[in-house]
Amino acid sequence: MIDLIREISQTMRSNKLRTVLTGIAVAWGIFMLIVLMGLSNGVVNTFNENTRSQGSNVLKVWGGITSHAWDGYKQGRTIELQSTDLEPIKHNNEHQVASVTAAIRSSAVTISTPHDYMTGSYEGIFPDEARQRALEVPWGRFINDRDMAEKRKVMVISEQVAVSLFKNPAAATGQSIKVGDLVFQVIGVYQSKWSRSVYIPYTTARILQGGGVNVNEINVELQNVKTQEDGTDAETKTRESLASLHDFRADDESAVNIWNRFNQQLSMQQGMNILTIAVWIIGLLTLLSGIIGVNNIMFVSVRERTHEIGIRRAIGAKPRNILTQIILESVSITTVFGYVGIAMGSLVTGILTKIAENVEFINNPTVDLSVALSVTIVLIIAGMAAGLFPALKAIKIKPVEALRDE
């Protein structure tokens, strides 16, 4: 084995320029594959984070305007969602619906402390919203059932709002905030890259809105759904329930607007999978040019060493010895320069990670250990493929003809 390694090393050193020029093509292919994979991972990470932050198994429902006449009503009628819609939606599809909640949004109000103020709005929600929106509350707590039952004037704010009003998120918990003419106590501060909302208990918001029944949004949390057909079925049944409650055609999609986040997630996941496959194809095609170069250099090497191969065959070298040496030479070239490409690609993706810290559509564009292992396997297979045909040619050389070769 040591002799074999020494021979391979000697062969690479004796053709330095040719070996380096060929290896650069391999390094470039691996470099492009690593960088493209890093960018692809950055987009996928952003998608996954966005999905977690907004809830993936949720139908968001808003009122709309009918596009068809129905049961004596003209088209163009405004449909307003109501709190009385929640129970029928769940009752009519208990198998697929885990919970149904509503949200009430205020118009613009002044939110202030004794030291600072801002213009914004609040949103009255149910405690389930924390789970549906995957909100993390590192300071304090989220709204609970007791807040709802007692209609407490409590508030959960985002980290960004806490910094604006109190300079420090940890200092916001327990403080008082004035919303219009009412004083609320901050019970929690949540972290979210996408949300800046100010949350209060739904029952409290209901009172502040005058005790009516209209709501701005209904959130239907799904269960037992796995395919797009399941998601579409749940959406259809939700629309049918609202159609019977508000007297519009069940197939009138403009009467109520439904954002099916479950189906959207599946579609986007398919898109992310296609993106990953496309990146691998582009990277491998780029690498292919380098592999062809290695293949050519190995053919040249075999032609130049015909006499040497003939001598080795004449003194007893077996065909598998010749085959092993040629293939290992090819694997050595692709692996050495491939790892140069991996190192360069990892360096560039590390730089991109720093640059993309404030870029919303790319999150942590790096490659993990599994990708590095996959690329290593690709390098070994590519090296073996590049050296296989030259090696087969080498073992077909007859000793007598090789010794007469000039």
Side-chain angles (χ1 to χ4, degrees), residues 100-302:
V100 185
T101 60
I104 302 173
R105 296 186 181 89
S106 72
S107 55
V109 294
T110 300
I111 301 174
S112 63
T113 68
H115 308 289
D116 209 343
Y117 73 95
M118 61 181 292
T119 300
S121 60
Y122 59 80
E123 187 173 348
I125 61 172
F126 284 67
D128 288 345
E129 288 289 330
R131 183 183 68 257
Q132 293 178 8
R133 305 189 185 195
L135 297 177
E136 297 182 3
V137 187
W139 301 282
R141 63 173 178 84
F142 200 72
I143 295 166
N144 59 29
D145 292 334
R146 189 168 181 179
D147 296 327
M148 295 277 288
E150 297 180 4
K151 303 178 180 60
R152 292 175 173 175
K153 289 189 291 183
V154 294
M155 175 180 293
V156 179
I157 60 178
S158 69
E159 181 180 5
Q160 292 76 12
V161 172
V163 170
S164 297
L165 296 179
F166 300 100
K167 310 304 180 186
N168 183 0
T173 304
Q175 299 295 322
S176 296
I177 290 182
K178 193 173 184 180
V179 179
D181 297 326
L182 299 175
V183 177
F184 285 75
Q185 182 184 30
V186 178
I187 59 172
V189 178
Y190 68 89
Q191 287 180 323
S192 174
K193 186 176 180 180
W194 309 100
S195 178
R196 303 291 185 274
S197 299
V198 173
Y199 299 123
I200 68 173
Y202 170 83
T203 50
T204 305
R206 178 87 285 156
I207 294 174
L208 296 181
Q209 296 294 322
V213 295
N214 290 344
V215 298
N216 298 103
E217 175 184 310
I218 290 178
N219 297 313
V220 182
E221 186 177 10
L222 302 180
Q223 63 182 2
N224 301 321
V225 288
K226 297 180 180 179
T227 65
Q228 285 196 337
E229 289 74 17
D230 294 337
T232 301
D233 181 57
E235 178 182 341
T236 299
K237 290 180 179 178
T238 298
R239 182 174 279 107
E240 289 174 350
S241 297
L242 291 171
S244 64
L245 293 168
H246 294 274
D247 292 320
F248 62 83
R249 274 178 51 170
D251 60 349
D252 189 350
E253 295 187 358
S254 66
V256 289
N257 301 303
I258 300 180
W259 182 12
N260 193 328
R261 285 201 48 83
F262 176 76
N263 279 4
Q264 182 191 51
Q265 182 205 15
L266 292 183
S267 298
M268 293 185 68
Q269 188 63 61
Q270 292 174 357
M272 294 299 102
N273 293 337
I274 293 173
L275 173 63
T276 301
I277 294 172
V279 166
W280 270 103
I281 292 174
I282 294 172
L284 292 177
L285 288 177
T286 306
L287 177 62
L288 181 61
S289 62
I291 300 305
I292 292 174
V294 174
N295 182 266
N296 290 334
I297 194 177
M298 296 312 300
F299 270 118
V300 173
S301 177
V302 169

Side-chain angles (χ1 to χ4, degrees), residues 11 15 18 294-310 322-323 325-327 329-330 386-397 402 405:
T11 302
N15 299 284
R18 187 170 64 191
V294 174
N295 182 266
N296 290 334
I297 194 177
M298 296 312 300
F299 270 118
V300 173
S301 177
V302 169
R303 182 71 184 95
E304 291 177 346
R305 295 159 60 190
T306 300
H307 195 71
E308 173 194 334
I309 293 172
I322 306 298
L323 185 70
Q325 181 178 351
I326 301 299
I327 291 179
E329 286 181 16
S330 177
L388 179 61
F389 293 106
L392 291 175
K393 179 180 179 181
I395 64 176
K396 290 179 181 178
I397 298 175
D405 186 74

Side-chain angles (χ1 to χ4, degrees), residues 89-107:
I89 291 175
K90 180 171 176 56
H91 178 74
N92 294 339
N93 190 16
E94 291 184 346
H95 175 67
Q96 293 180 313
V97 176
S99 66
V100 185
T101 60
I104 302 173
R105 296 186 181 89
S106 72
S107 55

